[in-house]
Amino acid sequence: MSNRLPPDLVRHLQGDATFDYKAFVAIHDNEQKTSSIRINPAKVFDLSLLDIDRPIPWCKEGYYLKKRPVFTLDPLFHAGCYYSQEASSMFLDFVVRQLNLHLEPIRALDLCSAPGGKATLLNATLHRDGLLVANEIIKGRAAVLRENLMKWGNPNVIVSNNDPSAFGRLPGYFDLMVVDAPCSGSGMFHKDHNAIDEWSMANVKLCSERQQRIIANSIASLKTGGYLFYSTCSYSKEENEDIVDWMIDTFGLESVSIPVEDAWGIEVSQSEKHSATSYRFYPHKVAGEGFFCAVLKKRDEQDSVSLKKVKTDKNAAPQGLAERWANMDGLYSFLHHDLLHIFPKSYELDLGALQKVLYLKNAGTEIGRVVGKDLIPSHDLALSNRIHKDIPYLDLSLEDMLTYLRKENLPSTVNPDGLKGWVIVRYEGMDIGWIKAMPNRINNYYPKEVRIANL
């Protein structure tokens, strides 16, 4: 492996006299990798069901696993009980808490969000009455982002599918902006050896230009006094500290220092021009992959979008229908075509404003399709943290649940009490999906697009 590391990157790293290059090479020659997850605090389950090794020190809900399981075969993964996320990137949780951004409701944007690691983290860490907009420019990846946030189960989320430039039309709107920027990927060399063959200085330059374009086109959406969390999975300063200096020069931002424990192994670095503080994660120093991040605060005055002139359409949602299925405390329901959604009432005007400037993939929780005076419940509702707990349910064994997740026919023996109609299926007490119990059969309503293959 050591002789495969790109020479240009090697020269850059060896230029730092304090960098332990031998240890860096050795860890890349070592095929042993860490596996980590982050628990969904809204879905309380028995942690002993997971093969947990130890906590991740910079993330309240993060844990290292003793070994990497086949997540696809764990129903708790499909229930949204946890998210498989690389440990270094969970540092965002520590930053949010150090800045006390979790204490009051704020508006947050995760600009380059798919597949959803940082978005689900924000949705768990930030105040439950805040609003998260998770954006992804690539359509297919936006669908994956929507699915992962849906499994997380909270209604205070909007998923958008837009170029970052669209957010320039929302000046001063967000209190927090997370930009996990597309990068050259050298931080993934330890985890993914194929990334080595794709790396080049030309790609570093291309990524640096792309990062500048993404930030320049969207930074106006961050309010005065708002925070920007910028990160990459690259070791190249052209994509990291140099970008931080460029942002300070160009957009009136200032560096914010976050105190970290020496024992964590995180390297605190300074940019060349402004001595801005940033954080580097190296796999030979931390139990995690390569990662870079910096925190900045917008100092310059920023005009803000006004919601006062926003007009909402007449709400055509059938009154009382959502209340039959979900806890509507602080929420309202609205129709999108014939699909009924629930969303925080306090952000009704926000949704109207966002709809005018963004293409929205999803807003809130889709709870079902309206048919006459009835509702065909959606899979989103089954995984929602707002679903009524008195809806009929069946607890399935692991074998039966895997049959369900493959969207195969369930035996009638799973319904010994003869429940009829819409029924939730559970595993270890956690809701996973719908069946419709008929007199002579059980219809499996698990979505075909997310069913698991026969592993």
Side-chain angles (χ1 to χ4, degrees):
M1 169 62 68
S2 56
N3 60 4
R4 287 189 60 202
L5 291 174
D8 287 332
L9 179 65
V10 169
R11 281 192 291 272
H12 164 69
L13 293 174
Q14 288 180 315
D16 180 355
T18 66
F19 187 74
D20 190 345
Y21 179 68
K22 289 184 178 179
F24 179 76
V25 170
I27 197 68
H28 284 81
D29 285 335
N30 185 349
E31 293 298 321
Q32 188 174 359
K33 301 175 178 65
T34 60
S35 182
S36 52
I37 60 170
R38 185 171 35 76
I39 302 300
N40 184 346
K43 298 192 175 185
V44 181
F45 65 102
D46 183 359
L47 284 182
S48 69
L49 295 169
L50 303 176
D51 197 12
I52 286 175
D53 183 14
R54 66 193 190 279
I56 294 172
W58 50 80
C59 180
K60 183 179 179 182
E61 309 291 348
Y63 294 91
Y64 292 106
L65 299 178
K66 294 177 182 176
K67 60 182 180 180
R68 185 178 182 85
V70 181
F71 292 115
T72 309
L73 295 181
D74 184 4
L76 296 177
F77 175 75
H78 297 279
C81 292
Y82 63 89
Y83 189 95
S84 172
Q85 186 175 16
E86 204 285 306
S88 299
S89 65
M90 295 187 205
F91 187 65
L92 175 58
D93 179 81
F94 184 74
V95 169
V96 167
R97 295 181 190 278
Q98 286 293 303
L99 296 175
N100 291 323
L101 295 176
H102 62 304
L103 299 181
E104 295 182 357
I106 66 169
R107 297 179 179 96
L109 168 65
D110 186 5
L111 186 63
C112 310
S113 192
K118 291 180 180 62
T120 53
L121 184 152
L122 288 168
N123 196 220
T125 306
L126 293 175
H127 195 283
R128 66 189 299 271
D129 294 328
L131 177 66
L132 172 65
V133 177
N135 179 70
E136 172 56 45
I137 186 173
I138 300 172
K139 185 177 180 181
R141 286 170 56 83
V144 174
L145 172 63
R146 182 199 184 284
E147 177 191 334
N148 284 324
L149 279 167
M150 175 268 294
K151 289 197 292 187
W152 217 241
N154 298 319
N156 60 333
V157 177
I158 289 173
V159 177
S160 62
N161 178 204
N162 293 268
D163 185 89
S165 61
F167 291 89
R169 301 195 291 269
L170 292 166
Y173 181 76
F174 293 103
D175 303 279
L176 170 66
M177 185 173 171
V178 172
V179 181
D180 187 37
C183 68
S184 60
S186 50
M188 292 292 104
F189 286 175
H190 176 240
K191 180 180 179 180
D192 179 11
H193 297 342
N194 293 327
I196 296 174
D197 299 325
E198 299 172 5
W199 191 92
S200 69
M201 281 303 299
N203 194 31
V204 168
K205 183 177 185 297
L206 190 67
C207 288
S208 176
E209 293 169 351
R210 185 182 183 190
Q211 291 151 4
Q212 292 178 54
R213 185 170 63 252
I214 287 171
I215 293 164
N217 288 341
S218 59
I219 192 67
S221 65
L222 185 65
K223 70 188 295 186
T224 302
Y227 291 95
L228 170 64
F229 179 92
Y230 174 77
S231 63
T232 73
C233 55
S234 170
Y235 298 127
S236 301
K237 72 181 185 66
E238 294 89 344
E239 301 175 78
N240 295 337
E241 288 89 351
D242 289 357
I243 293 290
V244 173
D245 275 342
W246 169 79
M247 287 191 285
I248 292 173
D249 278 339
T250 311
F251 303 112
L253 303 177
E254 61 185 17
S255 173
V256 177
S257 181
I258 305 294
V260 297
E261 299 286 339
D262 290 341
W264 294 353
I266 301 169
E267 182 176 305
V268 181
S269 69
Q270 308 291 324
S271 66
E272 289 183 8
K273 184 173 184 180
H274 293 291
S275 297
T277 304
S278 54
Y279 306 88
R280 283 176 169 261
F281 295 68
Y282 291 105
H284 65 284
K285 298 185 71 173
V286 304
E289 301 303 328
F291 185 67
F292 169 91
C293 66
V295 183
L296 301 111
K297 186 175 184 179
K298 182 177 270 192
R299 184 184 64 245
D300 285 5
E301 287 297 318
Q302 172 66 60
D303 295 336
S304 297
V305 64
S306 174
L307 301 181
K308 293 180 179 179
K309 297 181 180 180
V310 175
K311 294 182 180 180
T312 58
D313 296 330
K314 184 178 179 181
N315 194 338
Q319 297 303 305
L321 185 56
E323 286 84 348
R324 286 161 46 187
W325 296 87
N327 172 11
M328 294 294 290
D329 182 31
L331 306 178
Y332 78 105
S333 62
F334 67 90
L335 273 177
H336 180 66
H337 302 302
D338 58 348
L339 298 173
L340 190 63
H341 290 245
I342 56 177
F343 191 74
K345 180 67 177 175
S346 57
Y347 294 106
E348 185 174 5
L349 288 180
D350 294 69
L351 180 56
L354 294 171
Q355 284 177 314
K356 293 184 186 305
V357 298
L358 302 175
Y359 172 71
L360 304 186
K361 191 82 173 175
N362 190 55
T365 301
E366 176 196 308
I367 67 169
R369 185 177 301 278
V370 176
V371 179
K373 296 182 179 180
D374 293 321
L375 188 80
I376 299 175
S378 72
H379 184 58
D380 300 33
L381 176 62
L383 296 176
S384 171
N385 299 322
R386 289 302 195 98
I387 189 172
H388 282 319
K389 298 305 180 185
D390 59 355
I391 291 175
Y393 68 89
L394 289 171
D395 275 312
L396 299 187
S397 66
L398 177 58
E399 181 182 0
D400 286 333
M401 182 53 75
L402 291 176
T403 297
Y404 174 77
L405 291 171
R406 293 185 181 105
K407 201 173 172 57
E408 296 173 355
N409 293 327
L410 286 167
S412 58
T413 52
V414 304
N415 186 16
D417 296 328
L419 295 176
K420 295 180 181 179
W422 292 110
V423 177
I424 286 281
V425 290
R426 291 180 177 174
Y427 176 75
E428 295 291 344
M430 305 309 300
D431 296 347
I432 292 186
W434 295 103
I435 61 170
K436 193 166 189 181
M438 314 291 281
N440 300 314
R441 70 180 188 278
I442 293 173
N443 289 345
N444 185 338
Y445 274 79
Y446 196 67
K448 62 181 180 181
E449 61 271 17
V450 295
R451 70 186 186 276
I452 66 175
N454 288 307
L455 298 177

